[in-house]
Amino acid sequence: MCGIFGYIGDKEASEKIITGLKKLEYRGYDSIGVATMNDKLAIFKNVGKVSDLEEKICSKNLKGTTGIGHTRWATHGAPTEINAHPHYDKDQKIVIVHNGIIENYQELRDDLIKDGYKFVSQTDSEVIVHLIAACYAKSNNIEESFIYAVKRLQGTYAICCISEYDPSRMFLAKKSSPLLIGVGEGENYCASDVSPILKHTRNIIYLDDNEYAMLSTDSVVVKNYKGVVVEKEIVKSTINIDDVEKGTYDFYMMKEIHEQPESIINTITNRCFIDEGKVNFDFIGINNNELLNINRIVITACGTSLHAGLVGEFFLEKFAQVPVEVEYAAEFRYRNPIIDSKTLVIAISQSGETADTLAAVVEAKQKKARIISICNVPGSTITRESDGVIYTKAGVEIGVASTKAFTTQITALYMFSIFLARIKWIINKEEAKNLLTKLYEIPELIRRILLKKDHIYTIACKYYTKPSFLYLGRGISFHVAQEGALKMKEISYIHAEGYSAAEMKHGPIALIDENMPVVVVALKNRSYEKIASNISEVKARQGKVIAIATEGDTNIKNLVDDVIYIPDCEEELSAILSVIPLQLLAYYTAILRGCHVDQPRNLAKSVTVE
Ligand code: AGP
């Protein structure tokens, strides 16, 4: 979604901002803009890519050592140059950029229009700058005007403002949208996430909701909305700078697919102790007695993270023997869910900023549920709203199509299931040792699958022109099928559906003909015979079947058109392996169709609006 980058210091701001915005491109955007201040404010905007604006800015030799930039993902108003941020007030003395949605913008806009303010864009964001200007006309004080405007907003926002009236300061505020500050020497930064800041400084201040900040070249002052100064901790970011670079890969997605063995090792290291048959977490936030009191688990998430939750449901119920429900975060809060202090809500989110998941967490908190988040981004909003957090240690995930987040989320859920089962005395030390040993084998098995990528590419070459794909599986593999279909549709724009193979004959079978590739996750487990029958049903209707099968299953070759073998493993862990070929199949299909894998159209990496 929208990305913000701001700089105040003694270097040329436009260069810093363009480099910063390039690092935010992965979030998804359709237009961009930059404002700098050199005595006077100047704005440059464009529809399209950051590199297009870079050319425009270079040709104008844009000067100024203070500036703000924005990548916009359109919500209110089409992706046009006028709707792109920054937005000016009527005297062109104040500019703002905004990420989020102002829910009461219509009412504010109507009032401002009555007072003679003219709007040039269709955005909800433009009200902010006019509100600041309206207050400034009376108060002559930008700090007061900024906070006056912010307090009138309902909805979500991360806002950054600079003004000719107070050129030595930059103003920031946030509510439910991410915004952090990079503290440098003789210069300061702000951004929607840490990736564009890291090359300048590792000293980060996380702004909290209902706080505003004022940056100058050599100071950062944070206050709450009552105007009281808040002492903020400066956190040293430990993110490896290589994590935010593509390295030798063409796309982040491919890099991230290959990082999965390492990400899983990082997620289990220092938490799983095979010899002791034990799992330990640092920030679980809920003590064992409280956990023993839990009588129900609700997992809530969106997209890929939801699919990980659906996989986790199997082993939480099996190992820890606690009833589990998995619910779309966007639906959760609107159906008045029955939860209480004995409910554990597990919120899963790679970014920790997904608005729907955050809203579900807030709802669950109000109902007194205990909350653990499974999250990849330290310090993100969802982790701060939760009682405890299990960090997935996937490293920065930049590709919009989530890959290593999915496999590390499943890893975290698997570890948590064993942890819970152990404190409940449902499994003994030997059983836990066995389960953990199997988990430790997974990274090497993934490496073996990655070696098959040429074969997967050949399969992609056969099917990439098809308009539609069906993905089938049963049990855990049903949710892998859903995840495989999601990957295919989001990056290749091919229509794809993930179904329980058993459900196929209740509808989707009508779609099958010789043009329909059907990807079937058909592993050697207790559903194998049944899924083999489902494959026969597809073949009887001339469908083309690509099977993900267990190594050694020679029989399946006779039933299907193409096979990708994966190593045998525990059924509970099979999703981590079987999803790898599906990630690669989607990747190669998208490449063959000429799609930009890391920045698929209309999508955003972290969806910070509901
Ligand atoms: C996955 O490939 C997606 N792009 C998307 O479904 C994502 O998983 C979803 O938006 C949730 O994001 P989160 O994990 O950051 O909360």
Side-chain angles (χ1 to χ4, degrees):
M1 301 243 122
C2 304
I4 290 177
F5 185 86
Y7 173 75
I8 183 160
D10 58 2
K11 317 255 171 10
E12 284 303 337
S14 59
E15 284 169 34
K16 298 253 186 193
I17 295 169
I18 289 292
T19 324
L21 292 182
K22 281 184 179 165
K23 283 271 171 256
L24 294 173
E25 282 190 297
Y26 79 96
R27 296 168 69 87
Y29 70 107
D30 38 55
S31 51
I32 88 159
V34 171
T36 59
M37 190 152 51
N38 182 28
D39 298 332
K40 292 215 157 305
L41 283 167
I43 288 186
F44 286 87
K45 310 199 227 185
N46 237 25
V47 174
K49 294 289 167 197
V50 178
S51 49
D52 304 332
L53 192 76
E54 188 176 10
E55 282 169 30
K56 204 167 171 176
I57 285 176
C58 285
S59 67
K60 300 277 178 200
N61 194 17
L62 189 59
K63 292 281 177 208
T65 56
T66 299
I68 54 181
H70 189 263
T71 49
R72 175 174 187 253
W73 188 85
T75 56
H76 296 63
T80 60
E81 194 167 314
I82 284 184
N83 288 334
H85 300 210
H87 292 288
Y88 266 135
D89 72 312
K90 69 175 171 24
D91 296 325
Q92 306 203 334
K93 302 277 188 201
I94 308 170
V95 286
I96 62 100
V97 290
H98 164 234
N99 172 12
I101 290 187
I102 307 303
E103 285 165 4
N104 59 337
Y105 86 98
Q106 197 57 56
E107 180 191 323
L108 294 169
R109 189 177 168 116
D110 292 347
D111 288 350
L112 284 159
I113 289 171
K114 270 189 221 141
D115 291 342
Y117 288 88
K118 290 202 170 44
F119 282 76
V120 294
S121 76
Q122 287 89 48
T123 65
D124 54 336
S125 314
E126 197 185 339
V127 294
I128 303 168
V129 74
H130 295 309
L131 280 174
I132 299 172
C135 182
Y136 187 80
K138 293 179 195 144
S139 70
N140 266 328
N141 179 320
I142 273 289
E143 178 180 348
E144 195 180 316
S145 307
F146 179 74
I147 197 60
Y148 160 84
V150 163
K151 279 182 176 168
R152 296 201 59 196
L153 306 175
Q154 286 165 17
T156 59
Y157 52 80
I159 304 166
C160 185
C161 167
I162 52 175
S163 141
E164 287 180 24
Y165 300 127
D166 195 344
S168 61
R169 292 197 293 178
M170 174 180 288
F171 294 84
L172 321 173
K174 84 166 268 300
K175 187 175 158 218
S176 302
S177 285
L179 191 59
L180 47 86
I181 299 163
V183 184
E185 286 186 13
E187 56 184 19
N188 288 304
Y189 298 82
C190 69
S192 300
D193 66 51
V194 84
S195 57
I197 289 186
L198 280 182
K199 75 180 265 213
H200 308 293
T201 175
R202 291 190 167 273
N203 296 332
I204 307 295
I205 293 177
Y206 290 94
L207 206 55
D208 280 305
D209 279 2
N210 304 321
E211 288 177 346
Y212 70 103
M214 289 158 292
L215 311 189
S216 66
T217 51
D218 50 13
S219 74
V220 175
V221 178
V222 179
K223 292 185 180 175
N224 64 23
Y225 285 1
K226 290 186 185 139
V228 178
V229 173
V230 182
E231 290 304 329
K232 299 292 287 185
E233 187 190 355
I234 298 182
V235 180
K236 273 247 177 284
S237 173
T238 52
I239 291 174
N240 182 348
I241 211 145
D242 291 344
D243 283 1
V244 293
E245 302 295 341
K246 269 202 301 259
T248 53
Y249 292 92
D250 291 338
F251 289 97
Y252 282 106
M253 183 183 176
M254 194 51 143
K255 174 177 179 245
E256 289 159 5
I257 289 174
H258 280 80
E259 282 171 349
Q260 290 178 105
E262 210 55 49
S263 306
I264 291 175
I265 292 170
N266 291 339
T267 302
I268 52 189
T269 302
N270 292 330
R271 287 162 161 178
C272 296
F273 304 94
I274 297 184
D275 291 346
E276 297 162 56
K278 204 169 146 190
V279 177
N280 251 352
F281 296 107
D282 294 340
F283 309 108
I284 202 82
I286 304 175
N287 68 38
N288 288 1
N289 283 339
E290 290 171 310
L291 282 172
L292 289 172
N293 237 345
I294 295 295
N295 60 17
R296 186 164 155 254
I297 293 178
V298 176
I299 297 179
T300 189
C302 304
T304 289
S305 298
L306 185 94
H307 296 153
L310 286 161
V311 172
E313 179 180 21
F314 281 78
F315 31 85
L316 271 165
E317 289 196 334
K318 181 172 171 183
F319 300 157
Q321 291 177 16
V322 52
V324 180
E325 282 162 66
V326 185
E327 176 128 30
Y328 285 106
E331 300 298 330
F332 180 78
R333 66 195 284 225
Y334 293 107
R335 60 168 194 89
N336 202 12
I338 300 172
I339 45 178
D340 56 26
S341 57
K342 292 193 167 187
T343 310
L344 174 66
V345 169
I346 302 181
I348 309 177
S349 174
Q350 186 285 129
S351 61
E353 302 293 349
T354 300
D356 288 321
T357 311
L358 177 59
V361 165
V362 171
E363 173 76 17
K365 245 176 126 172
Q366 273 163 9
K367 294 194 143 95
K368 310 270 181 283
R370 306 311 307 275
I371 299 159
I372 291 178
S373 50
I374 294 182
C375 202
N376 197 39
V377 179
S380 53
T381 312
I382 290 173
T383 65
R384 285 182 283 146
E385 287 292 327
S386 310
D387 294 300
V389 48
I390 301 175
Y391 283 113
T392 46
K393 302 203 174 165
V396 181
E397 189 180 70
I398 289 185
V400 166
S402 201
T403 51
K404 58 180 182 171
F406 179 71
T407 46
T408 53
Q409 286 163 348
I410 295 175
T411 304
L413 285 161
Y414 183 85
M415 295 190 308
F416 183 66
S417 309
I418 298 170
F419 170 80
L420 213 52
R422 283 290 279 142
I423 65 170
K424 290 176 84 178
W425 294 96
I426 294 170
I427 59 171
N428 62 30
K429 183 174 164 183
E430 285 313 306
E431 288 164 320
K433 274 167 97 167
N434 182 41
L435 293 171
L436 293 175
T437 306
K438 303 282 180 205
L439 179 60
Y440 267 94
E441 288 166 3
I442 290 294
E444 194 43 45
L445 302 183
I446 296 178
R447 287 193 187 104
R448 276 170 50 190
I449 301 171
L450 292 172
L451 294 175
K452 297 177 193 251
K453 61 185 181 191
D454 290 348
H455 173 56
I456 298 169
Y457 176 74
T458 316
I459 295 175
C461 289
K462 257 172 100 173
Y463 298 104
Y464 77 96
T465 54
K466 301 290 180 194
S468 221
F469 274 63
L470 199 57
Y471 284 70
L472 304 176
R474 294 179 87 123
I476 284 177
S477 298
F478 161 33
H479 306 302
V480 176
Q482 289 176 302
E483 175 58 11
L486 178 64
K487 289 289 88 84
M488 184 60 93
K489 70 184 119 191
E490 68 181 332
I491 59 169
S492 74
Y493 318 142
I494 293 177
H495 172 247
E497 294 290 344
Y499 262 93
S500 158
E503 269 291 301
M504 184 185 62
K505 50 193 167 302
H506 299 288
I509 199 164
L511 297 168
I512 291 170
D513 62 14
E514 68 283 2
N515 282 317
M516 173 68 94
V518 183
V519 180
V520 187
V521 186
L523 306 180
K524 269 279 186 193
N525 56 30
R526 58 208 154 106
S527 317
Y528 181 75
E529 302 305 331
K530 300 236 181 280
I531 206 136
S533 307
N534 299 137
I535 289 175
S536 304
E537 289 156 9
V538 174
K539 287 307 297 172
R541 286 153 186 89
Q542 279 77 54
K544 299 278 178 278
V545 176
I546 305 155
I548 311 300
T550 309
E551 274 171 8
D553 177 9
T554 45
N555 174 50
I556 200 147
K557 275 192 175 162
N558 309 321
L559 300 179
V560 303
D561 298 271
D562 294 281
V563 192
I564 305 165
Y565 284 113
I566 62 167
D568 195 11
C569 74
E570 284 290 284
E571 190 175 348
E572 284 72 29
L573 291 166
S574 62
I576 302 180
L577 299 188
S578 53
V579 79
I580 309 285
L582 304 189
Q583 294 169 345
L584 287 165
L585 184 65
Y587 175 88
Y588 286 128
T589 305
I591 295 288
L592 287 160
R593 292 167 69 92
C595 302
H596 192 306
V597 171
D598 287 334
Q599 289 167 32
R601 70 179 177 209
N602 306 337
L603 283 175
K605 179 63 183 163
S606 79
V607 183
T608 50
V609 295
E610 280 186 62

